[in-house]
Amino acid sequence: MKPIEIKTGIYWVGGIDWNLRNFHGYLTQRGTTYNAYLIIDEKVVLVDTVKHYLFDEMLARIRAVIDPAQIDYLVSNHVEMDHSGSLPKMIAMAPNAKVVTSPNGEKGLRRHYKEEWDPLVVKSGDTLSIGKRTLQFFLTPMVHWPDNMVTYLPEEKLLLSNDAFGQHIATTERFDDAVDCWDVLQEEAAKYYANIVLPYSDQVKRALDALSGLEIEMVAPSHGIIWSAYLPRILEAYQKWANNETENRALIVYDTMWGSTEKIAYSLLEGLEAEGIPVTMRNLKTIHISDIMTDVLRSKAILLGSPTLNMGVLPTMGGFLTYLKGLRPKKRIGLAFGSYGWGCLAVKEMEAVMNALSWHVPFEGVDIQYIPDEAELEKVKEVGKQLGAFIKK
Ligand code: FEO
């Protein structure tokens, strides 16, 4: 359990969760890390902790650098328990340490741990000198909870960004240029944004604006690798995602009962392809909704398909609609489709969600009774072509 020195006197002392495969409903096929950072100066600072079950791993890394009793400040950038879960034990190991947190962090920590820790409560822009270095705090509410803040070290041009810029990847390597390649990092950062940060894109924009005046050479989040070589690329990606900028491509998400809705899905695909629009097909029976959200993040047009079952959509689509509504992707073009037997209600239910998200729904939904015939599928293909032409406008 070795610490990793990320800058002179600043150590990564986090925990690696190799086996985690589900993070509150988000599939984490590559595991994750909880990153804590130890700063050795005239004052000793630990920024964030790890999930409770990785406390011993973090402690071993800290002990390889310093006696934990020497820690002066415990900065809690975020109350969520993947970062504060080891705080109570850490306070016990460092009895002279002062907890530093945001106003909402103070309230959140009290609700979680029922302790009166008398923290130092900081506001945006507040600074704390720790010797040769300064800690400067910026509140970043809703990225990802109301309590979130980030810690900036101007002398190091280092931003400890907590959840922002995170990715769920378990690895012993700490820097972006040491991990596989940009494609893997980009995919995991995009999945993380789509499943965790997307509903708070307006707050991300505000946070990016607030941080834009700072000199930053390294961003060290609380999950995954540290951005350094690829920092310009991830900053550009965050700007794009926060502005709901998408690519001219279509995503078809569907489930099917007896194959009719799937036939409609493939005819729509053919029409879109005829117009040169790249299409991603996602069958809800085979792909997890958290993976589909990565496709949602990049796709300008989203087509949702379900047959009508029991006066509504299939449960798989129902679950996806609930997830989608919560994550609130904006500025999309929508089209609903599905088959029905005697009550045609699924298309209306899917369109209602599209309307609730303020998507543009330029064409009537496609609903076909029982089994589509060749002529009907040709008409569906035409709808796909029209949609394809609309996407390119
Ligand atoms: Fe990584 Fe919002 O916790």
Side-chain angles (χ1 to χ4, degrees), residues 23 78 80 82-83 144-145 163 192 222-223:
F23 192 99
H78 184 19
E80 195 166 12
D82 48 333
H83 309 298
H144 149 235
W145 278 10
D163 274 350
Y192 186 92
S222 57
H223 298 288

Side-chain angles (χ1 to χ4, degrees), residues 138-140 165 201-214 216 235 238-239 242-243:
F138 292 92
L139 306 193
T140 52
F165 304 105
S201 287
D202 288 343
Q203 288 88 340
V204 171
K205 277 193 272 183
R206 278 198 284 280
L208 289 172
D209 285 347
L211 300 174
S212 63
L214 307 179
I216 299 174
L235 287 172
Y238 258 63
Q239 285 286 0
N243 284 302

